[in-house]
Amino acid sequence: MAGLLSSPQDRAGAVLSIDLAALTENWRILKRRCAAKDTGAVVKADGYGTGAVQAAAALKSAGCATFYVAHLDEGIAVRGAVGAGPRVVVMHGPNRGTERDFAALKLIPVLNTPEQIAGWRKYAETADILSESLVHVDTGMNRLGLTRKEFDAHIADGGFNGLHPLALMSHLACSEEAKHPLNEAQRKAFAEVLSIFRTRFPDAKASFTNSSGIFLDPAYHYDYARPGVALYGVNPTPDVPNPMLPVVRLFAKIIQVRRVDRATTVGYGATAAVPEGTKLATVSIGYADGIPRSWGAGGAGFVDGIRCPVKGRVSMDLVIFDVSNVPDSGLHPGALMEIIGSHSTVDDVATAAGTIGYEILTSLGARYHRHYLPAPTPIKKP
Ligand SMILES: Cc1ncc(COP(=O)(O)O)c(C=O)c1O
């Protein structure tokens, strides 16, 4: 708005910094590791909370050629960000009546159900177009995709006629647990349907792995890899140290510091008792910014690397921290409390809140001042 004298960073309660150079480096790490011919990027849910348009544009500059989103509107936004060249795959498939928009923007639908297949075939016949699609077959997730019975019926009855499938796809349910028996059961089930599918569509490729699957045997990688969460710095291998670079940092401003002059309780519901002399800082972040209420129980922020446990409940816009161990010189209105950073990763916040990094990232709030650290510009050959 014209006429404001303060900067957005001055006005915001918290600053979210997103490192696009780390994001693109994470994509390269996954690409080097992955045997797939095409390592793409899942940028659904607004790029896992980091900003799909910024993330996709940076990844495209790094060489990523295939982007995956959940919804058509996400696909439209990503198409706008990456231009006409890259593939944009919409994993929820076409809602009835949206087929023309897919075709107009060259968005590739995943066909998950018999209804979506029938709808896409009908549209393709009337529009006389050769639009590509991915056919999703369920191999053990029981979420989206044709059942084995439905798949067999489509093969037997010509139910795939008129399609131009880029790939057959399936999704792993337990890939972050390397030894989970469902991984191998899904891989075998997928290999079987893929060989049948290729009797009908010999050129069809295969898409099977998410982030964690890239750290399983290369037999899981197939042709089109679909990593998401690892791009954004969450550990895809929870049992071993994180091979990915951190992408997200979140710092919230201290509004007020007080030292309590008697033993007392803190926050809504008076759930946390503190002894006389405790130094408390009230910080401008809350559950309306995506910090789970459950983080109140075991969470901590950091000031100058010093751990400051949360005291009491997370409220809508504020969290209270015990800053007794921080020297007064580090505590003043506007001083920053690290919520996510070098002392507390996305995974740490998730563990303390009893959830997963995916949920922390995709809940990142709309009120933060967002600061993008640019990816290095690729040097063009003279
Ligand atoms: C179908 C599908 N493929 C790929 C992904 C990416 O998974 P991840 O974020 O674990 O890499 C997801 C994420 O939920 C998904 O639903």
Side-chain angles (χ1 to χ4, degrees), residues 30 41-44 48 68-70 91-92 110 112 136 141 143-144 169-172 175-176 207-214 225-232 236 358:
L30 295 171
V42 180
V43 293
K44 64 189 167 108
Y48 286 54
Y68 299 85
V69 295
M91 295 196 291
H92 285 192
V110 172
N112 296 288
H136 189 174
M141 178 89 171
R143 189 175 66 167
L144 280 178
M169 103 168 214
S170 195
H171 190 51
L172 287 159
S175 55
E176 72 285 3
S207 179
F208 193 53
T209 186
N210 64 338
S211 299
S212 297
I214 291 176
R226 309 186 307 270
V229 81
L231 294 169
Y232 309 99
Y358 295 75

Side-chain angles (χ1 to χ4, degrees), residues 137-140 148 184-194:
V137 59
D138 183 63
T139 53
R148 178 63 201 262
E184 195 47 18
Q186 285 196 265
R187 198 190 63 75
K188 281 197 179 132
F190 187 61
E192 205 175 296
V193 282
L194 183 61

Side-chain angles (χ1 to χ4, degrees), residues 42-44 67-72 74-75 78 88-92:
V42 180
V43 293
K44 64 189 167 108
F67 294 88
Y68 299 85
V69 295
H71 294 268
L72 174 55
E74 295 179 329
V78 169
V88 179
V89 177
V90 179
M91 295 196 291
H92 285 192

Side-chain angles (χ1 to χ4, degrees), residues 327-339:
D328 286 345
S329 57
L331 298 171
H332 51 84
L336 295 177
M337 177 71 69
E338 175 191 308
I339 309 296

Side-chain angles (χ1 to χ4, degrees), residues 93-94 109-113 116-117 120 133-137 145-146 163:
V110 172
L111 304 175
N112 296 288
T113 64
Q116 286 185 344
I117 291 173
W120 190 250
S133 56
L134 272 76
V135 173
H136 189 174
V137 59
L146 299 181
L163 297 185

